[in-house]
Amino acid sequence: MKDLKVDALVVGGGIAGMQAALDLGDQGFQVALVEREPSIGGKMITLSKVFPTLDCCSCITTPKMSAVAHHPNIKLLTYCEVESIQENEKGFAVATVQKPRYVDEATCTGCRLCEYACPITVPSSFDRGLGSYRAIRVPFSTAVPQIAVLDMDNCILCGKCEKACPVDAVVLSQQPEPFTIHATAIILATGFELNELGAKKEYGAAKLPNVIDPLMMERFLSPTGPYGRVLRPGDGMEPTTIAYVQCAGSRDKTLGIEYCSRVCCMYAIKQAMLISGALPMAEITIYYMDIRTFGKGYEQFYQNAKAMGVEFVRGKVASIHEDEKHNPIVKMELTEEGRIIERTHDLVVLSLGMIPAVSSSGFGLVPASDGFISVPAPNASPTVTERPGIFVTGTAGGPMDIVDSIVTAGSAASEASAYIRSKTMIAESQSEVAYA
Amino acid sequence: MATQQATPSRGEILKRLREQHAETFARTQALLKEQKRIEQVICSAIRETAKTVPQIAEEVGMPAPEVLWYVASFKKYGMLVEKGMCGDYPLYQKVEKK
Ligand SMILES: Cc1cc2nc3c(=O)[nH]c(=O)nc-3n(C[C@H](O)[C@H](O)[C@H](O)COP(=O)(O)OP(=O)(O)OC[C@H]3O[C@@H](n4cnc5c(N)ncnc54)[C@H](O)[C@@H]3O)c2cc1C
Ligand code: SF4
Ligand code: SF4
């Protein structure tokens, strides 16, 4: 891999990073987009439908992924890790490593014959471990690029994939390849992760098979999900009573997450509505402290869910345990009535808090008090970090929904554009002075 | 694109990689053996009659979440199909290779 020189480097290929790259590319800037996973798409490509419109998520995300891959001004670099960022008089020198796919990117056609030939099955991270794929695979059906990747940690080196490949694309001798990206500006779009399912010990410590995280439910609700329908992972039962526990790891001092994750109320309501569609007989309860429906059309969405029969119960969930059939039992205090109740459900979803996906210090930035990338003037310049030339978009800067991720992508792109132009003008005037 | 080292022969590369990744190789060999065994027991349990996950789990003596993971995987790779419901549980049956 040769070193690259670009106007802007975007780190992270979720919806925020893709949108920022497209906005800059459309303005004529040369952009490199670095994604550490084998495909772009981020969390959004794993979702089923989006609130508040209930549009199919894949239908919105896939065209953007494809636009990024085919944009003449965007160089897409998947399965790459940023190692370090050095600043110099021209901008930034970003040390990057291309991880070995063990598959030749230029030759692979994404036909999946290798995947079908591979004898080893492993849990699929795309389906949050509940589905499976093979040690060599195209990561998911709408992955961009459609190129296989071999997971050496789970390979038995049998060579069956190599034999099955009709175009000899499997290259078991590939090695990591370091290279440098020279960029005038950087946009960080490294996104979020969910807090761990077991973070709050009182909620089952990730040991109860029928207590799941909300991204698992997104996969169950997706037609390409691990079971192709909503089943509980403990025993494959179609659940008839499903509960959501809100703020399960947000607004919780004991976990060090004092902030509100902003999207959990809305995704719980969305999933409740989608489950009502998929399982019309199911009873769905949302246990909450407050419902926060801050966006355009969001309050109406909440009212619609109530009208559809979703039950909203105000209170504080103290603990979750299970009966002998692995049915989760929710113990809670009804705060308005001052009563303690216990209810048994088939399946419980914990609306977990959002946490940063990476540490800011890796980019030479001091994290904000919530751990996300710090923005010194959030009201005046919400996408400008403390380091000149480095900008932030999407959930890398803090919890937000897709609408706000896209809005901040536009903002970060226009801040980066102004910065690149000013740098270029300074460089030009300096060279004119030198020439004179 | 990652670099491709000089590759004398396919067999030699595999041999060298097996040496380099000796620990992984030992672990994945054992994993493959176990996966083959489980595939065989689950598939024979549902060869004649369609069964639910708890029924399979009881018959083969495995935890139900693990059985579901294998069943979902076999379904994805076309080795079994859903055959209706038994109460709240889907039934699964092995597809015979043509
Ligand atoms: C269960 C659930 C349901 C939701 N439903 C909705 C909904 O219906 N509507 C809505 O508006 N919002 C919804 N959201 C919120 C939505 O998912 C986020 O707003 C959105 O995905 C944020 O996008 P992002 O690009 O900021 O982050 P991400 O999607 O996390 O993307 C970040 C990308 O950066 C990559 N990356 C991270 N670190 C590095 C690195 N060091 N180098 C290179 N690449 C890196 C990651 O691999 C990833 O691809 C939901 C959230 C959850 C948890
Ligand atoms: S060499 Fe590895 S990836 Fe290829 S078929 Fe064998 S186990 Fe699968
Ligand atoms: S590596 Fe070969 S067999 Fe596998 S998807 Fe690519 S072209 Fe198809």
Side-chain angles (χ1 to χ4, degrees):
Chain A
M1 171 71 79
K2 283 199 193 121
D3 290 356
L4 279 177
K5 191 175 173 321
V6 289
D7 297 313
L9 163 68
V10 177
V11 185
I15 187 63
M18 290 193 294
Q19 189 61 52
L22 287 169
D23 288 351
L24 282 169
D26 287 348
Q27 291 175 51
F29 292 107
Q30 295 300 310
V31 184
L33 193 156
V34 168
E35 167 57 54
R36 67 179 173 189
E37 296 295 327
S39 168
I40 49 172
K43 304 286 180 308
M44 190 172 167
I45 193 63
T46 72
L47 305 180
S48 53
K49 292 189 175 174
V50 278
F51 63 74
T53 53
L54 295 186
D55 288 326
C56 154
C57 210
S58 188
C59 308
I60 305 171
T61 323
T62 317
K64 286 229 192 266
M65 291 159 75
S66 170
V68 166
H70 296 112
H71 201 293
N73 294 337
I74 300 175
K75 174 80 181 158
L76 177 58
L77 300 157
T78 52
Y79 216 37
C80 287
E81 285 287 347
V82 168
E83 299 271 285
S84 68
I85 298 180
Q86 302 294 325
E87 212 164 332
N88 55 40
E89 71 285 358
K90 287 186 182 152
F92 299 96
V94 182
T96 314
V97 174
Q98 170 74 71
K99 297 182 272 188
R101 277 178 180 267
Y102 302 102
V103 167
D104 182 44
E105 291 192 17
T107 322
C108 174
T109 60
C111 70
R112 295 184 171 219
L113 290 174
C114 53
E115 183 173 346
Y116 282 94
C118 175
I120 288 271
T121 308
V122 289
S124 148
S125 58
F126 188 72
D127 283 332
R128 297 194 73 76
L130 297 173
S132 64
Y133 43 33
R134 298 276 161 81
I136 188 168
R137 69 265 173 170
V138 175
F140 50 92
S141 58
T142 53
V144 170
Q146 278 280 308
I147 297 174
V149 59
L150 187 154
D151 158 15
M152 198 48 98
D153 282 344
N154 283 303
C155 172
I156 51 159
L157 292 162
C158 65
K160 285 189 178 164
C161 52
E162 228 185 348
K163 275 197 201 142
C165 179
V167 290
D168 292 335
V170 178
V171 187
L172 292 168
S173 55
Q174 268 186 358
Q175 295 291 313
E177 190 174 344
F179 64 102
T180 304
I181 303 172
H182 300 277
T184 311
I186 297 176
I187 295 181
L188 299 176
T190 46
F192 73 99
E193 289 299 336
L194 283 180
N195 199 3
E196 280 171 32
L197 188 60
K200 203 163 168 71
K201 301 284 170 270
E202 298 86 337
Y203 291 175
K207 294 207 173 84
L208 311 183
N210 295 316
V211 175
I212 62 169
D213 79 35
L215 285 170
M216 292 173 175
M217 182 54 91
E218 291 287 338
R219 297 307 303 140
F220 296 162
L221 288 163
S222 163
T224 58
Y227 314 138
R229 52 159 76 219
V230 181
L231 297 178
R232 65 178 199 173
D235 59 2
M237 176 208 209
E238 207 172 66
T240 47
T241 74
I242 300 157
Y244 282 81
V245 175
Q246 296 307 105
C247 302
S250 297
R251 304 168 70 201
D252 189 334
K253 273 192 188 159
T254 60
L255 296 177
I257 303 178
E258 294 181 32
Y259 51 88
C260 163
S261 287
R262 297 184 68 200
V263 293
C264 324
C265 290
M266 284 301 289
Y267 70 59
I269 297 171
K270 170 191 77 174
Q271 292 186 358
M273 289 166 96
L274 295 174
I275 295 168
S276 299
L279 306 171
M281 303 310 286
E283 286 169 15
I284 306 154
T285 308
I286 298 184
Y287 297 116
Y288 72 101
M289 295 199 284
D290 317 281
I291 291 288
R292 298 187 169 179
T293 51
F294 57 91
K296 194 179 165 84
Y298 290 10
E299 179 61 22
Q300 188 56 48
F301 194 70
Y302 169 38
Q303 297 306 332
N304 291 351
K306 277 189 185 168
M308 281 171 76
V310 176
E311 185 194 20
F312 288 81
V313 177
R314 187 169 205 158
K316 242 188 141 163
V317 172
S319 63
I320 305 173
H321 54 284
E322 63 178 14
D323 65 15
E324 70 290 348
K325 290 189 171 155
H326 301 293
N327 298 312
I329 303 168
V330 176
K331 183 175 180 185
M332 73 169 320
E333 183 196 346
L334 297 175
T335 39
E336 282 165 354
E337 297 172 33
R339 236 172 7 108
I340 309 271
I341 58 162
E342 276 198 350
R343 278 209 200 161
T344 304
H345 298 276
D346 293 336
L347 184 64
V348 167
V349 184
L350 299 183
S351 292
L352 297 172
M354 278 176 157
I355 54 172
V358 292
S359 154
S360 315
S361 53
F363 303 109
L365 298 166
V366 180
S369 59
D370 59 8
F372 289 91
I373 291 170
S374 162
V375 175
N379 293 326
S381 313
T383 55
V384 177
T385 73
E386 85 230 25
R387 216 173 148 184
I390 302 190
F391 307 93
V392 61
T393 172
T395 51
M400 65 180 78
D401 61 7
I402 293 163
V403 175
D404 286 352
S405 297
I406 289 177
V407 170
T408 56
S411 162
S414 89
E415 294 281 5
S417 148
Y419 181 84
I420 297 163
R421 282 183 214 278
S422 73
K423 276 282 192 184
T424 318
M425 269 155 58
I426 294 168
E428 277 169 7
S429 65
Q430 277 171 348
S431 67
E432 273 168 29
V433 170
Y435 181 71
Chain B
M1 204 180 308
T3 43
Q4 295 159 29
Q5 288 185 334
T7 52
S9 83
R10 203 179 143 264
E12 274 171 23
I13 295 168
L14 283 174
K15 191 166 165 253
R16 201 169 59 207
L17 281 166
R18 279 180 196 139
E19 281 160 12
Q20 265 171 20
H21 300 269
E23 243 174 68
T24 311
F25 184 57
R27 181 176 50 76
T28 50
Q29 283 281 351
L31 177 68
L32 178 65
K33 217 170 144 194
E34 178 63 357
Q35 287 190 346
K36 289 267 168 241
R37 184 191 69 80
I38 293 172
E39 178 184 324
Q40 204 264 321
V41 293
I42 292 182
C43 289
S44 57
I46 54 173
R47 183 156 288 124
E48 303 299 331
T49 329
K51 293 187 181 126
T52 66
V53 167
Q55 286 166 347
I56 304 168
E58 202 187 331
E59 189 170 327
V60 303
M62 271 170 66
E66 210 182 318
V67 169
L68 177 60
W69 186 79
Y70 277 98
V71 162
S73 167
F74 297 160
K75 191 174 159 216
K76 175 175 175 178
Y77 290 103
M79 292 158 62
L80 57 75
V81 286
E82 268 186 40
K83 277 269 170 102
M85 301 285 288
C86 171
D88 291 328
Y89 293 87
L91 289 158
Y92 301 96
Q93 186 157 22
K94 172 98 181 70
V95 173
E96 288 310 328
K97 278 187 198 150
K98 297 222 170 80

